[in-house]
Amino acid sequence: VTMRTFPDRIRHAVLFELIGLAIITPATAWLYDKPVLQMGVVGVGAATLATVWTFVFNLGFDHALQRVLGHTRKTIGLRLMHVVLFELGLLVMILPPVAWYLDMTLFETFMLDLSIVLFYMVYNFGFNIAYDRLFPIPGLVKPQRAG
């Protein structure tokens, strides 16, 4: 069984959140005309939750792949499924507290979250491909290209 190590998973989660937070906090403050500090609090709270969720979700996803497919190699299709399931789970956990803190309706917060989710779906996809290339799992065979 070839999987990422515990320290590698920690590095992955922390890098993912720090880079994402550095991009999204000023962008959402500007787009939604909210104070950067307030969006920073939301960003840090969301990033903390997302960091834990990243670790738990990725571990569970890899175990599911190992059980169902017998390996943890991720094709483009599996990466797309990974991103969608990850972001849906995070959205369900984050929507109510953010609506409360920003004094917004659930719909307004959903629209804010939707824009953030769309950013993170693209970011997650690109980040994970780059991470896999920069920090390959020793001994893992690359997936075959279709066609």
Side-chain angles (χ1 to χ4, degrees), residues 8-54:
D8 187 32
R9 288 180 186 280
I10 297 282
R11 175 181 55 199
H12 175 274
V14 170
L15 283 175
F16 180 86
E17 291 308 326
L18 287 177
I19 293 167
L21 193 56
I23 296 168
I24 202 68
T25 299
T28 53
W30 178 74
L31 282 171
Y32 292 92
D33 196 29
K34 297 282 185 186
V36 173
L37 181 60
Q38 191 176 27
M39 292 310 289
V41 168
V42 168
V44 169
T48 301
L49 176 62
T51 299
V52 172
W53 178 235
T54 297

